[in-house]
Amino acid sequence: MSRAEIVFAEAPTAADRDAIVRPLVAFNDATYGPSGFRTLAFLLRDPETGETVGGLYGKASYDWLFVELLVVPAALRGTGLGSELIGKAETYAREAGLAGVWLDTFGFQARAFYEKQGFEVFGSLPGHPRGSERFFLRKAF
């Protein structure tokens, strides 16, 4: 192949992402071994409509569960659902033999909530977003 052209894609497609992920996963698998990658979710559903209104979305790979997204609708906050979601994710991770759970949150979001769940900060990115900070937290088993 001749030198590749760099093209900016403001709205890349799923196929574009796959074209990047496939060789990366192949390299990682060949270098370190299979990651065991899988996605999972614990969904909050409206009992009347069945509509998903929030929940936890994560990815497990290389012995850790990454919580990518967690949201409880504003009207349901303070009811314990967030703690239940984290608890279910931890139970899943433990039963799957994973080493722990990690996630990130902004300074204006839920750092204190995660620390109450036993997570500890292992890094931060000051100024992301400007005027705040992004925190990376983990809970090892």
Side-chain angles (χ1 to χ4, degrees), residues 70-108:
L70 188 151
V71 67
V72 173
L76 298 175
R77 291 185 189 143
T79 64
L81 282 171
S83 297
E84 285 184 57
L85 288 167
I86 286 291
K88 288 188 180 297
E90 285 183 32
T91 298
Y92 169 86
R94 287 177 193 274
E95 289 176 356
L98 301 178
V101 179
W102 72 283
L103 52 86
D104 63 88
T105 188
F106 292 112
F108 58 84

Side-chain angles (χ1 to χ4, degrees), residues 66-67 86 101-105 114 119 122 135-138:
F66 171 59
V67 174
I86 286 291
V101 179
W102 72 283
L103 52 86
D104 63 88
T105 188
Y114 293 118
F119 284 78
F122 70 89
F135 295 96
F136 298 86
L137 298 98
R138 70 174 166 226

Side-chain angles (χ1 to χ4, degrees), residues 109-126:
Q109 286 179 329
R111 176 182 171 185
F113 165 77
Y114 293 118
E115 289 175 328
K116 287 179 188 174
Q117 307 303 313
F119 284 78
E120 64 179 356
V121 172
F122 70 89
S124 69
L125 182 58

